[in-house]
Amino acid sequence: MKKSYFFGFLFLLYIQYGFSQNCAAGFTLSSNVSSVCSGDAVVITLSGSQSGYSYEIISGGSVLDAVSGNNNPISFTVNPTTQTTYDVKVVGCSNPYDSITIDIIPTPNITLSSAAA
């Protein structure tokens, strides 16, 4: 096949089918709390998952977990030790995605002293 025919064929494929991946519809994230003590469990819930898609929760560029959509809300449990932003995205797609930040409640400094008798 001549080069010109090959590129013409590719162009026709592009017009007919495109090269973009069909991605899931948008979703939102929520959590059971917005701030916790260091290491406490937080449940992050994704509304509007869709069957046929996988959803990743990412923190600091690392994938922490991946869950398959099931047309119902899906949950991720995390245990942050510092203020952390979690991103959730559809695997293989740049969009949609959403983020949620969990704050850490500072440990109180308590000083005990006894009263002189």
Side-chain angles (χ1 to χ4, degrees):
M1 181 182 279
K2 292 183 178 180
K3 280 186 179 181
S4 61
Y5 292 124
F6 177 74
F7 289 114
F9 177 72
L10 286 179
F11 180 73
L12 289 175
L13 283 176
Y14 176 76
I15 290 173
Q16 180 68 29
Y17 300 105
F19 285 116
S20 62
Q21 180 177 357
N22 208 7
C23 289
F27 56 85
T28 57
L29 296 177
S30 61
S31 70
N32 59 331
V33 295
S34 61
S35 57
V36 294
C37 293
S38 178
D40 283 355
V42 177
V43 177
I44 297 173
T45 302
L46 177 149
S47 68
S49 76
Q50 292 180 319
S51 293
Y53 295 95
S54 292
Y55 298 83
E56 291 178 331
I57 186 164
I58 302 164
S59 176
S62 298
V63 175
L64 305 177
D65 195 8
V67 176
S68 295
N70 58 12
N71 294 328
N72 292 303
I74 54 178
S75 297
F76 301 94
T77 301
V78 295
N79 301 84
T81 56
T82 61
Q83 181 188 51
T84 306
T85 298
Y86 296 95
D87 301 314
V88 175
K89 70 176 208 115
V90 178
V91 174
C93 300
S94 58
N95 286 316
Y97 75 92
D98 198 8
S99 299
I100 193 165
T101 299
I102 305 299
D103 294 318
I104 300 299
I105 300 169
T107 305
N109 291 327
I110 300 173
T111 304
L112 299 176
S113 61
S114 61

